[in-house]
């Protein structure tokens, strides 16, 4: 399996993959594929990695700038992330996340945040101390990895693509 930056030829495959991965999820807003497209269109798709196997895109992860209490401060958000349904729980998501975190580190990012399951993201090092908050979501789901500096405290805000 190859993990690489997306290219223009991947756009449709990423959209289809994102729809297929989120469609069965009860928590899905069915907006995730549109969010990836909007991040790309607005210049907020800081990192977009695909997992390719035998020429097929089987996984994708997006990273985009976030703010904490209105300040970017070198922080990025992880998501949407999608793995092809019949290839889930085989390490592809983890490989995408770890590569993305390496790239953020290389760029000098301060850290990465997300809203998601501690069961999944705790396995790759994300954690919550309850001080980073997002809307009325239980703070244990608002997790982060600090790459440099202080752990963030305040209200997490994602790129505008997440809010439409
Ligand atoms: C979430 C998702 C991206 C994870 O990718 P994946 O390739 O299936 O995950 P991995 O196999 O790399 O697993 C990473 C770790 O999380 C754990 N994990 C993965 N899915 C899990 C689940 N549903 N419940 C509990 N733990 C889970 C794995 O056990 C693994 O831990 P380990 O390395 O200690 O064994 C993928 O399942 C997916 O596309 N789901 C549908 C879309 C979605 O929910 N996106 C995220 C919304 S927050």
């Amino acid at each position: 399996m190859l993990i690489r930056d997306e290219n223009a030829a991947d756009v449709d495959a990423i959209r289809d993959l994102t729809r297929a991965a989120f469609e069965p999820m009860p928590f899905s807003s069915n907006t995730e594929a549109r969010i990836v497209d909007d991040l790309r269109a607005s210049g907020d798709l800081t990192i977009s990695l695909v997992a390719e196997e035998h020429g097929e895109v089987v996984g994708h992860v997006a990273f985009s700038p976030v703010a904490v209490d209105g300040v970017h401060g070198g922080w990025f958000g992880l998501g949407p992330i999608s793995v092809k349904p019949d290839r889930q729980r085989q390490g592809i998501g983890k490989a995408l996340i770890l590569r993305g975190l390496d790239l953020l580190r290389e760029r000098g990012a301060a850290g990465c945040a997300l809203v998601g399951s501690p069961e999944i993201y705790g396995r790759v090092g994300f954690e919550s101390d309850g001080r980073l908050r997002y809307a009325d979501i239980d703070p244990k789901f608002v997790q982060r990895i600090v790459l440099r500096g202080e752990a963030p405290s305040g209200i997490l805000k994602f790129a505008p693509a997440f809010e439409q």
Side-chain angles (χ1 to χ4, degrees), residues 17-160:
L17 166 71
T18 305
R19 285 195 184 123
F22 277 92
E23 200 274 327
M25 297 293 135
F27 57 79
S28 170
S29 56
N30 291 314
T31 55
E32 296 84 3
R34 193 267 305 149
I35 288 172
V36 177
D37 285 333
D38 286 359
L39 286 171
R40 190 181 294 110
S42 60
D44 284 330
L45 195 51
T46 311
I47 295 172
S48 180
L49 298 174
V50 297
E52 180 189 322
E53 201 174 55
H54 309 304
E56 181 190 13
V57 173
V58 294
H60 172 258
V61 65
F63 294 85
S64 56
V66 296
V68 179
D69 282 349
V71 177
H72 169 49
W75 276 79
F76 292 85
L78 187 159
I81 177 168
S82 306
V83 171
K84 200 178 166 207
D86 64 2
R87 297 303 317 277
Q88 290 174 7
R89 307 219 50 176
Q90 296 166 40
I92 296 173
K94 186 173 186 173
L96 284 163
I97 293 170
L98 293 179
R99 176 69 63 82
L101 292 173
D102 281 347
L103 293 173
L104 286 177
R105 218 175 267 113
E106 282 172 19
R107 286 165 175 254
C112 184
L114 59 80
V115 177
S117 156
E119 276 183 351
I120 299 177
Y121 300 102
R123 311 295 300 180
V124 285
F126 282 85
E127 52 189 8
S128 168
D129 63 3
R131 295 189 303 144
L132 188 60
R133 298 181 305 283
Y134 181 72
D136 56 358
I137 289 178
D138 184 334
K140 77 176 182 210
F141 296 106
V142 187
Q143 301 160 75
R144 80 288 184 279
I145 284 186
V146 178
L147 299 177
R148 64 171 168 81
E150 298 293 311
S153 174
I155 306 294
L156 177 65
K157 191 168 163 57
F158 289 91

